[in-house]
Amino acid sequence: MINIIWFIMLFSSIVFGIITGSGEIISKSIVNTTYSTVELMVKLVGMMCLWCGVMRIAQKSGLTDKLAFILKPILKRLFKSAVKSEKALGFIVMNLTSNMMGLSNAATPFGIKAMEEMQKLNPEKDKASDDMALFLVLNAACIQIVPTSVISIRAACNSNNPAVIMLPAIIATGTAAVVGCLICKILEKYF
């Protein structure tokens, strides 16, 4: 569906530009935009490699394990049925700690495994359980302690202090996670 929407937007704007006599501007914009996009991607690859390395060191040094140890008692209270499976809870913890450390690529396999384990505990197989819905919300609105993607983009765009975004990011993502969790807990009482 999103591809159809994109196609309609692009096609209609190109046709509108040609009709209004702005064809030359459109073609120059297309060339310039593709050039700047490739340039940005090259800069991002370098920054992402750096942050992935830093986060890998954090993972190997046991920092993510310590974070998981701190989170486990909290998550046991939030996920009522996933507590029955130590495996499901372990995958949830690893997914959320990976997201917190900005390792979104590493978090995805843990998220898929967590969903599979929670599906095994789900009594209604054709509907997502409350724990699955809560996990999805927390996965999407997880607290970002190190927002590597945003820092990398800011650095690639020649920001003077790319990491200045860390505190506002922690506040914004922390607020989103708490609000999302509260809404899930309220809604699960009524639905």
Coordinates of all heavy atoms in Angstrom, one line a residue, residues 81-118:
S81 N 1.9 -13.1 31.6 CA 1.9 -14.5 31.2 C 3.3 -15.0 30.7 O 3.7 -16.1 30.7 CB 0.9 -14.8 30.1 OG 1.2 -14.0 28.9
A82 N 4.1 -14.0 30.2 CA 5.4 -14.3 29.7 C 6.4 -14.8 30.8 O 7.4 -15.5 30.6 CB 6.1 -13.2 29.0
V83 N 6.0 -14.4 32.1 CA 6.8 -14.9 33.2 C 6.8 -16.4 33.3 O 7.8 -17.0 33.8 CB 6.2 -14.2 34.5 CG1 6.8 -14.8 35.8 CG2 6.3 -12.7 34.5
K84 N 5.7 -17.0 32.8 CA 5.7 -18.5 32.9 C 6.8 -19.2 32.1 O 7.1 -20.3 32.3 CB 4.3 -19.0 32.4 CG 3.1 -18.5 33.2 CD 1.8 -18.8 32.5 CE 0.7 -18.1 33.2 NZ -0.5 -18.1 32.4
S85 N 7.3 -18.5 31.1 CA 8.4 -19.0 30.3 C 9.6 -18.2 30.5 O 9.7 -17.0 30.1 CB 8.0 -19.0 28.8 OG 9.1 -19.2 28.0
E86 N 10.6 -18.8 31.0 CA 11.9 -18.2 31.3 C 12.6 -17.8 29.9 O 13.2 -16.8 29.8 CB 12.8 -19.1 32.1 CG 14.0 -18.4 32.7 CD 13.7 -17.4 33.7 OE1 12.7 -17.5 34.5 OE2 14.5 -16.4 33.8
K87 N 12.3 -18.6 28.9 CA 12.9 -18.4 27.6 C 12.3 -17.1 27.0 O 13.0 -16.3 26.4 CB 12.5 -19.6 26.7 CG 13.6 -20.0 25.7 CD 13.2 -21.3 25.0 CE 14.1 -21.6 23.9 NZ 13.7 -22.8 23.2
A88 N 10.9 -17.0 27.1 CA 10.3 -15.8 26.5 C 10.8 -14.5 27.2 O 11.1 -13.5 26.6 CB 8.8 -15.9 26.6
L89 N 10.9 -14.6 28.5 CA 11.3 -13.4 29.3 C 12.8 -13.1 29.0 O 13.1 -11.9 28.9 CB 11.2 -13.7 30.8 CG 11.2 -12.5 31.7 CD1 10.1 -11.5 31.4 CD2 11.1 -12.9 33.1
G90 N 13.6 -14.1 28.8 CA 15.0 -13.9 28.4 C 15.1 -13.2 27.1 O 15.9 -12.2 26.9
F91 N 14.3 -13.6 26.1 CA 14.3 -12.9 24.8 C 13.8 -11.5 24.9 O 14.3 -10.6 24.2 CB 13.5 -13.7 23.7 CG 14.2 -15.0 23.3 CD1 13.5 -16.2 23.3 CD2 15.5 -14.9 22.8 CE1 14.1 -17.3 22.8 CE2 16.1 -16.1 22.4 CZ 15.4 -17.3 22.4
I92 N 12.8 -11.3 25.7 CA 12.2 -9.9 25.9 C 13.3 -9.0 26.5 O 13.6 -7.9 26.0 CB 11.0 -9.9 26.8 CG1 9.8 -10.6 26.1 CG2 10.6 -8.5 27.2 CD1 8.6 -10.9 27.0
V93 N 14.0 -9.5 27.5 CA 15.0 -8.7 28.1 C 16.2 -8.4 27.2 O 16.6 -7.3 27.1 CB 15.6 -9.5 29.4 CG1 16.9 -8.9 29.9 CG2 14.6 -9.6 30.5
M94 N 16.6 -9.4 26.4 CA 17.7 -9.2 25.4 C 17.3 -8.2 24.3 O 18.0 -7.3 23.9 CB 18.1 -10.5 24.8 CG 18.9 -11.4 25.7 SD 20.3 -10.6 26.6 CE 21.3 -10.2 25.2
N95 N 16.0 -8.3 23.9 CA 15.5 -7.3 22.9 C 15.5 -5.9 23.4 O 16.0 -5.0 22.7 CB 14.1 -7.8 22.4 CG 13.5 -6.7 21.5 OD1 12.9 -5.8 21.9 ND2 13.7 -6.9 20.2
L96 N 14.9 -5.7 24.6 CA 14.8 -4.4 25.1 C 16.2 -3.8 25.5 O 16.4 -2.6 25.2 CB 13.9 -4.4 26.3 CG 12.4 -4.7 26.0 CD1 11.6 -4.7 27.3 CD2 11.9 -3.7 25.0
T97 N 17.1 -4.6 26.0 CA 18.4 -4.1 26.3 C 19.2 -3.7 25.1 O 19.9 -2.7 25.0 CB 19.2 -5.1 27.2 OG1 19.2 -6.3 26.6 CG2 18.7 -5.1 28.6
S98 N 19.0 -4.5 24.0 CA 19.7 -4.2 22.7 C 19.1 -2.9 22.2 O 19.9 -2.1 21.7 CB 19.4 -5.3 21.7 OG 20.0 -6.5 22.2
N99 N 17.8 -2.7 22.3 CA 17.2 -1.4 21.8 C 17.7 -0.3 22.6 O 18.0 0.8 22.1 CB 15.7 -1.5 21.9 CG 15.1 -2.1 20.6 OD1 15.7 -2.0 19.5 ND2 14.0 -2.8 20.8
M100 N 17.8 -0.5 23.9 CA 18.3 0.6 24.8 C 19.7 1.0 24.5 O 20.1 2.2 24.6 CB 18.3 0.2 26.3 CG 16.9 0.1 26.9 SD 17.0 -0.5 28.5 CE 15.5 0.0 29.2
M101 N 20.5 0.1 24.0 CA 21.9 0.4 23.7 C 22.1 0.8 22.3 O 23.2 1.0 21.8 CB 22.8 -0.8 24.0 CG 22.8 -1.2 25.5 SD 23.2 0.1 26.6 CE 24.9 0.3 26.3
G102 N 21.0 0.9 21.5 CA 21.1 1.4 20.1 C 21.4 0.3 19.2 O 21.9 0.6 18.0
L103 N 21.3 -1.0 19.6 CA 21.7 -2.1 18.7 C 20.4 -2.7 18.0 O 20.1 -3.8 18.2 CB 22.4 -3.2 19.5 CG 23.6 -2.9 20.2 CD1 24.0 -3.9 21.2 CD2 24.7 -2.6 19.3
S104 N 19.8 -1.8 17.3 CA 18.5 -2.2 16.7 C 18.6 -3.5 15.8 O 17.7 -4.3 15.8 CB 17.8 -1.1 16.0 OG 18.7 -0.6 15.0
N105 N 19.7 -3.6 15.1 CA 19.8 -4.8 14.2 C 20.0 -6.0 15.1 O 19.5 -7.1 14.7 CB 21.0 -4.6 13.3 CG 20.8 -3.6 12.3 OD1 19.7 -3.2 12.0 ND2 21.9 -3.1 11.7
A106 N 20.6 -5.9 16.2 CA 20.8 -7.1 17.1 C 19.5 -7.4 17.8 O 19.3 -8.5 18.3 CB 21.9 -6.8 18.1
A107 N 18.7 -6.4 18.0 CA 17.4 -6.6 18.8 C 16.4 -7.3 18.0 O 15.5 -8.1 18.6 CB 16.9 -5.2 19.2
T108 N 16.4 -7.2 16.7 CA 15.3 -7.8 15.9 C 15.2 -9.4 16.0 O 14.1 -9.9 16.3 CB 15.5 -7.5 14.4 OG1 15.6 -6.1 14.3 CG2 14.4 -8.0 13.5
P109 N 16.3 -10.1 15.9 CA 16.1 -11.6 16.2 C 15.6 -11.9 17.5 O 14.8 -12.9 17.7 CB 17.6 -12.1 16.0 CG 18.3 -11.1 15.3 CD 17.7 -9.8 15.6
F110 N 16.0 -11.2 18.6 CA 15.5 -11.4 19.9 C 14.0 -11.1 20.0 O 13.2 -11.8 20.6 CB 16.2 -10.6 21.0 CG 17.7 -11.0 21.1 CD1 18.6 -10.0 21.0 CD2 18.0 -12.3 21.4 CE1 20.0 -10.3 21.2 CE2 19.4 -12.6 21.6 CZ 20.3 -11.6 21.4
G111 N 13.6 -10.1 19.3 CA 12.2 -9.7 19.2 C 11.3 -10.8 18.6 O 10.2 -11.1 19.0
I112 N 11.8 -11.3 17.5 CA 11.1 -12.4 16.8 C 11.0 -13.6 17.6 O 9.9 -14.2 17.8 CB 11.8 -12.7 15.4 CG1 11.6 -11.5 14.5 CG2 11.2 -13.9 14.8 CD1 12.5 -11.6 13.2
K113 N 12.1 -14.0 18.3 CA 12.1 -15.2 19.2 C 11.1 -14.9 20.4 O 10.4 -15.8 20.8 CB 13.5 -15.4 19.7 CG 14.4 -16.0 18.6 CD 14.0 -17.4 18.3 CE 15.0 -18.0 17.3 NZ 14.5 -19.3 16.8
A114 N 11.1 -13.7 20.9 CA 10.2 -13.4 22.0 C 8.8 -13.6 21.6 O 7.9 -14.1 22.4 CB 10.5 -12.0 22.5
M115 N 8.4 -13.0 20.4 CA 7.0 -13.2 19.9 C 6.7 -14.7 19.7 O 5.6 -15.1 20.1 CB 6.9 -12.4 18.6 CG 6.7 -10.9 18.8 SD 5.1 -10.6 19.6 CE 4.9 -8.9 19.4
E116 N 7.6 -15.4 19.2 CA 7.3 -16.9 19.0 C 7.1 -17.6 20.3 O 6.1 -18.4 20.4 CB 8.5 -17.5 18.3 CG 8.6 -17.2 16.8 CD 9.9 -17.7 16.2 OE1 10.7 -18.3 16.8 OE2 10.0 -17.5 14.9
E117 N 7.9 -17.2 21.3 CA 7.7 -17.9 22.6 C 6.4 -17.4 23.3 O 5.7 -18.2 23.9 CB 8.9 -17.5 23.6 CG 10.2 -18.2 23.1 CD 10.1 -19.7 23.2 OE1 9.5 -20.3 24.1 OE2 10.7 -20.3 22.2
M118 N 6.0 -16.1 23.1 CA 4.8 -15.7 23.7 C 3.6 -16.2 23.0 O 2.5 -16.5 23.6 CB 4.7 -14.1 23.7 CG 5.6 -13.5 24.8 SD 5.3 -11.7 25.0 CE 6.3 -11.1 23.6

